[in-house]
Amino acid sequence: NTTWTIGHRSSPLSAQFKAIDSSKWTASGGIWRGATDTQQDGTSGFVAQGTTTGTQILYSSFSGTDYVLEAYGKQVQGRVWGLGFRVNDPTNFYDLNLYDDLNGSQNLYLYSVVNNIFSVLGNASVGQVNPNTWYKLSVKVHGSSLEVYKDNALQFQTADANFASGGVALYGESGGVANFNN
């Protein structure tokens, strides 16, 4: 069971922010930190927050083959947040994205990212997605099988063999601010 760890305060800027444990997580850009927010269960606490200026991830030192990745996320600013899995490096991984500006059409996408080129592996229309609302995304990866869930409901499954193992990540794009919680 891998979780992100919030470390000591990153600076005297504010007691609202804490550093992400850099021994377990590496940023490919953007600002990633612990921030105070109302969590998905209604309590107040620290969550991981990504402020991104491009296609950027916060990826783990963990690496595995078959696992389940589950996380809550909410879009604070911008149009998309997501999760990376079987991350080999910031340009080679699987990416699951939830878009809040594609309501009424496919708004959940699974990509294979090879040398920073995104190829769609699957998508689904999951209904209205609102900013500042927590949603749960989950992925079950075993062998070449990839099962995608939103709020515990299976949305689609597919197969791909680009990456047999790798870490997990939090994902954001240019102009985005998203909060993540486990």
Side-chain angles (χ1 to χ4, degrees):
N1 186 12
T2 300
T3 59
W4 47 81
T5 303
I6 306 297
H8 300 290
R9 239 183 288 178
S10 58
S11 71
L13 290 175
S14 169
Q16 288 184 306
F17 300 108
K18 295 193 181 231
I20 300 289
D21 186 339
S22 62
S23 70
K24 297 179 181 175
W25 296 92
T26 302
S28 69
I31 299 170
W32 299 88
R33 59 188 176 187
T36 302
D37 193 7
T38 301
Q39 300 172 95
Q40 72 278 357
D41 64 2
T43 62
S44 180
F46 279 99
V47 299
Q49 182 179 78
T51 303
T52 48
T53 57
T55 301
Q56 297 165 328
I57 62 173
L58 177 70
Y59 60 100
S60 70
S61 58
F62 160 83
S63 185
T65 54
D66 297 343
Y67 53 84
V68 176
L69 169 61
E70 295 181 328
Y72 287 89
K74 75 174 181 179
Q75 195 65 37
V76 177
Q77 179 180 312
R79 65 183 295 250
V80 61
W81 68 274
L83 302 175
F85 59 99
R86 289 192 175 164
V87 178
N88 286 254
D89 62 53
T91 63
N92 292 284
F93 60 99
Y94 292 115
D95 179 35
L96 178 61
N97 290 345
L98 184 63
Y99 294 86
D100 73 5
D101 65 342
L102 298 178
N103 294 318
S105 65
Q106 271 62 25
N107 51 359
L108 180 66
Y109 279 82
L110 175 63
Y111 300 96
S112 174
V113 183
V114 178
N115 296 322
N116 223 26
I117 297 172
F118 287 66
S119 301
V120 176
L121 295 177
N123 57 51
S125 178
V126 296
Q128 182 76 26
V129 175
N130 297 309
N132 294 303
T133 302
W134 288 104
Y135 297 98
K136 181 180 180 183
L137 292 182
S138 308
V139 179
K140 293 180 181 179
V141 293
H142 44 97
S144 62
S145 178
L146 312 171
E147 298 174 18
V148 173
Y149 297 79
K150 179 189 167 279
D151 297 325
N152 297 320
L154 178 65
Q155 298 301 318
F156 60 89
Q157 59 187 61
T158 188
D160 188 81
N162 275 324
F163 309 111
S165 66
V168 298
L170 309 178
Y171 175 89
E173 291 184 357
S174 184
V177 177
N179 290 353
F180 302 85
N181 208 7
N182 62 344

